[in-house]
Amino acid sequence: MNKIEHIGIAVKDLNASNTVYEKLLGVAHYKIEDVASEGVKTSFFRIGESKIELLQATTPESPIAKFIAKRGEGVHHVAFAVEDIEAEIKRLKNEGFEMIHHSPKQGADGKLIAFLHPKSSGGVLVELCQDMDNKE
Ligand code: ZN
């Protein structure tokens, strides 16, 4: 794995949280994206090499809606940049990690993504991200 690509933060109100994070980070978000397949609306902030992703649920069945109902707003996942997501999934499965996604799927921000189950990674939801155009 190369670096922390982003940290995902579950929020109730994306517009209100965008204002808070703009003040906190001193930069404006650079994009807002609807990921209908996941039932989320996301915004992204760039800070140096890494990003912050804010996630708001768009449906009651969204994983973010369930997360907030259970734990409230807060850090939802840590995403690592990888060069070859298929190889990384295979490597992690061989190491005994449980994947939520056994093959990569299309995520936000032009990435191929796959999530690991938090029960095999110390309670932390881990996301793997590979650039689809292979440039940062
Ligand atoms: Zn993410």
Side-chain angles (χ1 to χ4, degrees):
M1 299 190 192
N2 293 335
K3 62 173 183 181
I4 293 178
E5 213 281 333
H6 65 268
I7 294 178
I9 298 171
V11 303
K12 287 181 184 164
D13 179 335
L14 197 65
N15 288 332
S17 294
N18 276 338
T19 304
V20 171
Y21 276 83
E22 280 176 18
K23 285 183 193 161
L24 176 69
L25 302 172
V27 290
H29 63 277
Y30 66 90
K31 78 155 80 166
I32 288 186
E33 191 174 343
D34 249 299
V35 187
S37 60
E38 292 290 304
V40 297
K41 196 171 171 187
T42 65
S43 67
F44 284 90
F45 295 80
R46 192 182 295 281
I47 39 161
E49 283 220 316
S50 303
K51 297 168 193 161
I52 297 291
E53 174 185 32
L54 303 183
L55 304 112
Q56 181 204 295
T58 53
T59 67
E61 302 79 40
S62 161
I64 295 300
K66 288 176 188 157
F67 179 88
I68 285 181
K70 211 164 138 188
R71 301 214 228 165
E73 291 183 300
V75 173
H76 178 258
H77 63 268
V78 177
F80 295 98
V82 300
E83 303 260 312
D84 181 344
I85 194 165
E86 307 242 16
E88 202 62 21
I89 290 170
K90 205 170 161 195
R91 183 183 75 79
L92 291 169
K93 283 164 87 168
N94 283 336
E95 295 283 4
F97 289 95
E98 190 177 324
M99 299 300 301
I100 294 174
H101 304 117
H102 293 270
S103 54
K105 55 182 285 189
Q106 170 125 30
D109 205 29
K111 306 283 185 193
L112 285 174
I113 62 155
F115 279 93
L116 272 78
H117 199 288
K119 78 179 172 198
S120 61
S121 46
V124 176
L125 181 59
V126 172
E127 178 182 4
L128 308 176
C129 284
Q130 181 195 321
D131 274 332
M132 284 196 280
D133 54 9
N134 268 324
K135 62 174 175 359
E136 193 58 67

